[in-house]
Amino acid sequence: MSWDDLVAAALLGTERRTPPVAPRPGQDAPSALLDAAALSTVRRRAGLRPAPARPGPGRAPEDPRPALPTAARSRLALLLADRSAPGRGGSRSAPDLAELLPQWLALANHHGYRVPDALLPALLDAARARTDLRAEALMLGGPRALWLARLNPDWKFALRGAAGRASAAHPEPSEAAAAPDEEQRLWEEGLFAERVSLLAVARHRDPAAGLALLSGTWSTERAEDRLMFLDSLRDDLSPSDEPFLEQALSDRSRNVRATAAELLSALPGSALAARMAERSRSCVSLTADEPTADAPTDEGSTDEGSTDEGSTDGGSTDEGSTHNRLTAEEPTAAGRTPRITVRPPDECDSGMQRDGIVPKPPSGRGERSWWLGQLVEATPLDRWTEWFGGRGPAEIVALPVADGWQADLHAAWCRAAVRQRSAEWCRALLGTPAVAPVTAGEAAPAAWRDPAKLLSALPSRERAEWVAEFIASHGLSDAFRLLGVCAVPWAEPLGRAVVDALDIARDAGSYPWSFSGIMGLAERCLDPTQADRLEVLTAIPDEREGAAPGAGGYWAEAFQRLVGTLRLREAMRAELDPT
């Protein structure tokens, strides 16, 4: 009787395979098979030779940060226990504890606490399930989280790039004091996740040393690894990285070349930025219309909507007798209307491609307008002021653009403003919040704008004020992405504008579930001190004629949940406050 025969009979069943053992009197075949398996198991275990014990893990590193207060520790245990059961309890008005966990982690890290050792496994399990928790969870876990993650394959995510950023803030003692030789050995022999983590730590500590580490093995790395390593330079990018990035422009991988070009264009003083600027200058210029006896000379004579050549590459300009190029030193003469003329590139040569210009446009996009946009977005924004007679961003954006090229040019300026984090240009391109939002498929002058991205480069207070005015003018239907880029908690008057708009929607009899996304943001982002002021909205309103059936009750529950969540957030904040 062999173990394999027993296993085969158990898998196929005793009706299809006769077991290799005879039943005792009164015993059926399945019972005889199980008895034989039990005896065989004991024999197999008894005959095993003891293997040498593997060495135990080293001692966990010390974490000198203060422990959580007792109430905060209990709160974390509750949040981790309920993370997989949002709104547990069956009530629609109950706070969603799972959505409060990211905010709790951020608050705890702000105060510099460490997680209790007993809760580390649950915290790592939560971070494994939700990528949005990982950075804050690993920061709270500190060096002990990384130590524990090395002992369980389920937590290997902690050793990747996100762990590198966390360990840069709280490096393990062995990493912080590692000898150069030891770092070099780990870089050359370590797992990929360990190398990414090491590069992030080294770059944060000494950008030049981290770059030297990467340069030493760059030519032997796989293309996908080179791309990830290159992207890790983004956080601590500096002009000293330019020579390395210039070399990467000749990389075998197209994705690596594109990433290197993007990083170089974020350095306004780089040689690539200068090359892009020269190309842009030959394509975009400031000209003036000569006044004629038969034509008016005011700016309204330029009809930017008369042609759609900007999207079909036909937007060439005739700089003959009626257009004169203006130089930076030449002021606009009386009676001459300045405007921007555009002549996109005729080809995408090898030099442009080496500098990151993608030659093939997306479907539905003209080649020349596609090339033009890439050139302009990689050009340092201060060059336009230099070329356009000292005009500031607001004045430049207000200039008319000839032959239907405004949307392409302004869209490229928007991408450049976001990439170069220019608040002045973002402010000029945003315009006033009162401008009507653009709906899908609408051919409007503001169709090139992406307010959410432009707002991200503005100071948080200004961001909140702009979005508050937008909501007051247009309501909440187009405000979700804008609210997502505002700092938490929302500064006034933004919080008041959101609540007022929700109240107006309730009074109008709108469906409350249409605003569930905004309500969820309000629960996480409103200032918790506003809970008492919102208490009046928790009452069930009178049903209005034409309102959705039962909408009043749903609105009341939604506001009850909002108030309850705000009070819970205030309690969390008080529990973590050391004062």
Side-chain angles (χ1 to χ4, degrees), residues 272-431:
L272 179 136
R275 295 193 295 270
M276 292 298 198
E278 286 305 309
R279 295 178 181 122
S280 293
R281 190 176 189 182
S282 67
C283 296
V284 183
S285 59
L286 187 64
T287 62
D289 293 337
E290 291 284 5
T292 65
D294 299 323
T297 60
D298 63 317
E299 296 183 9
S301 63
T302 301
D303 182 7
E304 297 174 17
S306 62
T307 174
D308 59 358
E309 293 175 342
S311 60
T312 57
D313 298 332
S316 61
T317 57
D318 179 9
E319 298 182 14
S321 60
T322 59
H323 297 299
N324 292 323
R325 179 184 291 267
L326 296 177
T327 65
E329 295 79 14
E330 180 183 357
T332 304
R336 298 170 64 188
T337 303
R339 66 175 182 171
I340 299 172
T341 57
V342 177
R343 182 179 181 84
D346 294 318
E347 63 174 343
C348 184
D349 57 36
S350 58
M352 291 169 61
Q353 293 183 45
R354 181 183 182 275
D355 285 345
I357 302 299
V358 179
K360 186 176 181 180
S363 177
R365 183 78 180 273
E367 282 186 332
R368 297 175 71 204
S369 63
W370 170 244
W371 301 333
L372 173 74
Q374 295 178 80
L375 290 178
V376 172
E377 71 179 271
T379 297
L381 289 165
D382 57 3
R383 297 295 183 91
W384 300 105
T385 296
E386 175 188 338
W387 297 334
F388 287 180
R391 290 176 172 84
E395 295 175 284
I396 294 173
V397 170
L399 289 170
V401 183
D403 302 321
W405 284 101
Q406 182 189 34
D408 292 278
L409 183 61
H410 283 205
W413 278 339
C414 284
R415 295 192 295 273
V418 173
R419 182 183 296 182
Q420 299 175 34
R421 311 305 295 171
S422 172
E424 191 177 6
W425 272 89
C426 286
R427 198 174 292 120
L429 291 161
L430 266 173

Side-chain angles (χ1 to χ4, degrees), residues 135-224:
E136 296 289 352
L138 292 174
M139 184 173 290
L140 185 67
R144 292 197 164 195
L146 298 182
W147 173 85
L148 195 60
R150 293 189 179 97
L151 306 178
N152 186 344
D154 289 344
W155 299 328
K156 62 183 178 182
F157 70 87
L159 305 177
R160 299 186 186 127
R165 288 190 291 274
S167 60
H170 302 291
E172 295 188 45
S174 59
E175 291 177 338
D181 291 345
E182 179 65 20
E183 280 194 349
Q184 188 67 37
R185 185 194 62 77
L186 181 60
W187 175 252
E188 294 175 353
E189 302 176 7
L191 300 174
F192 177 70
E194 294 174 325
R195 300 178 71 211
V196 171
S197 176
L198 173 62
L199 180 60
V201 173
R203 281 283 294 179
H204 186 79
R205 184 178 67 239
D206 184 349
L211 185 63
L213 203 64
L214 178 58
S215 302
T217 60
W218 178 258
S219 60
T220 62
E221 304 288 355
R222 299 182 305 166
E224 55 268 33

